[in-house]
Amino acid sequence: MIEPLEQLRSTLQDHGQSLTRPRKKVFTTLQAKGPLTMAELIQASGTSLDRASVYRTIKLYEQLGIVQRLQIGWKYRVELSNSFQHHHHHMYCTQCGNVIAMPEDTVLEERLQALAANISFSAQDHQIEIRGICANCSRT
Ligand SMILES: [Zn+2]
Ligand SMILES: [Zn+2]
């Protein structure tokens, strides 16, 4: 498997772009912290990055398929696309707003493919969001 940062560098290079420090920072922040709202991403990227450059980077990353948007709750979040991390589903806590990745399940994935294929639909991608209350919130 190729090192994600190397893959990022070559994806950018293929489109005549270089891996600048802000671009690297946005990528590694998403790698470490999973799906984030733009506000969370700007905060997590640290003070060295301004709002505008985070927005510019995300716009470029969306165009190049490096990140994808998730509609979770009432705000969209961005996360690395399936080319850069394993496919997974999300659980969204309606109380604290936390987003938790669901463990992969090959039976479920095959089942979804089969259901789509049954009606002659060739599925390329999907997102699944389960809403509810997380373990932390149900404890209190
Ligand atoms: Zn919660
Ligand atoms: Zn899936």
Side-chain angles (χ1 to χ4, degrees):
M1 194 184 148
I2 323 164
E3 173 71 26
L5 272 176
E6 274 316 302
Q7 196 189 340
L8 173 66
R9 192 190 302 275
S10 71
T11 305
L12 286 167
Q13 256 164 18
D14 289 347
H15 294 86
Q17 304 280 348
S18 57
L19 182 56
T20 58
R21 197 188 50 84
R23 287 173 182 169
K24 189 174 174 176
K25 182 73 192 162
V26 167
F27 185 85
T28 53
T29 303
L30 284 173
Q31 235 183 347
K33 309 213 166 164
L36 296 173
T37 63
M38 288 306 290
E40 287 166 347
L41 177 60
I42 289 160
Q43 203 180 27
S45 301
T47 46
S48 57
L49 286 192
D50 62 44
R51 240 180 111 75
S53 58
V54 174
Y55 269 96
R56 264 200 312 274
T57 302
I58 289 302
K59 195 176 167 207
L60 174 71
Y61 281 4
E62 269 192 291
Q63 284 165 353
L64 303 185
I66 295 165
V67 299
Q68 58 192 17
R69 266 179 206 232
L70 299 171
Q71 286 298 337
I72 296 182
W74 46 277
K75 274 185 198 152
Y76 76 87
R77 287 164 200 255
V78 287
E79 72 168 1
L80 297 181
S81 71
N82 293 334
S83 323
F84 289 89
Q85 66 174 1
H86 280 295
H87 171 75
H88 58 268
H89 303 148
H90 300 95
M91 294 179 289
Y92 172 71
C93 176
T94 52
Q95 203 134 20
C96 67
N98 254 343
V99 179
I100 302 147
M102 233 167 91
E104 271 189 286
D105 185 308
T106 48
V107 176
L108 174 61
E109 293 302 321
E110 280 162 18
R111 194 72 200 117
L112 289 170
Q113 289 287 342
L115 285 170
N118 277 348
I119 46 172
S120 305
F121 189 89
S122 80
Q124 291 168 334
D125 188 27
H126 62 261
Q127 295 182 353
I128 293 180
E129 175 200 343
I130 299 177
R131 279 179 296 272
I133 309 290
C134 76
N136 260 342
C137 290
S138 55
R139 223 175 278 138
T140 53

